[in-house]
Amino acid sequence: MKTAQMEKWNNFKENHPKIKKLADKISQLFEKYPNLRQLILFSLFSIVCFVIEYASYTILSFAIPNREPIKWFIFDFTTTASKGVAGFVAFLVSNVLAQASTFLINRKATFKATNNIIWAGSIYAVGVCGIIILNTWLGSVIPPLVSASLKSYSPLSPEVLDTISGFIGKMIGSFCAFVISFILGKLVSMNFPKRKVKAEAVEPTDTTPSLDSISSENVGEE
């Protein structure tokens, strides 16, 4: 499958010289700066994770009817802007889905990891717990602050402002998760880009037998 796709891509480039020239420049750039390549690919694949996260957050925050305030550990979902139990569950579940998809997609596609997936997943899960706690905590702190500031001058209804403030808190948490996930994926559970090591020139050794060795061999035969 991959071979057929590569052949189609190569044929396409041959028929479009400008695209081939641009693709070659990008390949050379990525080869020279592997970290840049990883960051760009991670950003592109994060769009998929972004859709998964926000779709699940939106569905859960509106589908769960329970708006009772909840306060547990460092999470304070007691205001109307935080949406109580519905907001807590929506933030928590959407973060779990986003981080799981981030790991599964970027492990091979971005970082080209070859290590054991169980070991890598276990190490990654430890860091992800911190990301989920941070994001869920931001979801309880930021929306009430944003909603309070917007209500002072916005003509929109309080329900609309609460929804907007919830998404703003989600976006801030998503950006923090993006940065931490990239660093975590690169340094902890994925592979570092391997530097190309130039082969040292090896001086050729003379394998021609010397006169002394030949003469000693002849004496031994006699």
Side-chain angles (χ1 to χ4, degrees):
M1 182 68 70
K2 291 183 178 180
T3 304
Q5 292 176 349
M6 287 300 298
E7 289 180 357
K8 290 181 180 180
W9 170 241
N10 291 331
N11 293 333
F12 178 80
K13 288 194 299 180
E14 292 299 330
N15 295 329
H16 301 81
K18 292 184 178 180
I19 295 179
K20 181 179 183 301
K21 185 178 180 181
L22 178 61
D24 291 341
K25 287 184 178 181
I26 294 175
S27 298
Q28 292 174 3
L29 181 66
F30 283 172
E31 186 176 355
K32 186 177 181 180
Y33 302 102
N35 293 325
L36 176 62
R37 167 195 166 278
Q38 290 180 348
L39 181 59
I40 292 176
L41 289 179
F42 190 86
S43 301
L44 293 176
F45 291 127
S46 292
I47 297 175
V48 178
C49 304
F50 177 88
V51 173
I52 294 173
E53 180 177 5
Y54 279 78
S56 59
Y57 169 77
T58 304
I59 293 172
L60 291 172
S61 62
F62 285 100
I64 298 176
N66 192 346
R67 294 290 195 271
E68 293 183 5
I70 178 175
K71 188 174 183 180
W72 174 72
F73 190 37
I74 61 174
F75 311 124
D76 186 3
F77 286 79
T78 56
T79 62
T80 56
S82 63
K83 299 181 180 180
V85 174
F88 174 73
V89 174
F91 266 95
L92 185 63
V93 174
S94 61
N95 283 324
V96 172
L97 294 176
Q99 295 307 317
S101 58
T102 297
F103 172 75
L104 294 175
I105 294 174
N106 287 290
R107 182 175 183 271
K108 286 289 186 181
T110 299
F111 298 103
K112 299 186 181 301
T114 56
N115 51 9
N116 185 276
I117 188 171
I118 297 177
W119 178 87
S122 301
I123 300 298
Y124 190 81
V126 174
V128 164
C129 289
I131 296 176
I132 294 174
I133 292 173
L134 173 64
N135 264 2
T136 309
W137 175 75
L138 290 175
S140 66
V141 173
I142 295 176
L145 297 176
V146 175
S147 181
S149 62
L150 291 177
K151 288 177 181 177
S152 60
Y153 62 86
S154 176
L156 299 175
S157 65
E159 292 77 12
V160 174
L161 293 178
D162 289 343
T163 301
I164 294 174
S165 62
F167 277 104
I168 291 176
K170 187 70 177 169
M171 291 178 66
I172 294 175
S174 296
F175 177 76
C176 296
F178 171 85
V179 176
I180 298 173
S181 296
F182 178 78
I183 297 174
L184 179 66
K186 183 176 178 58
L187 299 181
V188 179
S189 55
M190 312 298 182
N191 294 335
F192 290 97
K194 297 180 180 179
R195 296 181 179 178
K196 293 184 177 180
V197 180
K198 295 182 179 180
E200 297 181 357
V202 180
E203 296 182 359
T205 56
D206 188 7
T207 57
T208 305
S210 61
L211 294 176
D212 294 336
S213 61
I214 294 174
S215 59
S216 60
E217 290 177 359
N218 292 335
V219 171
E221 292 178 356
E222 293 178 357

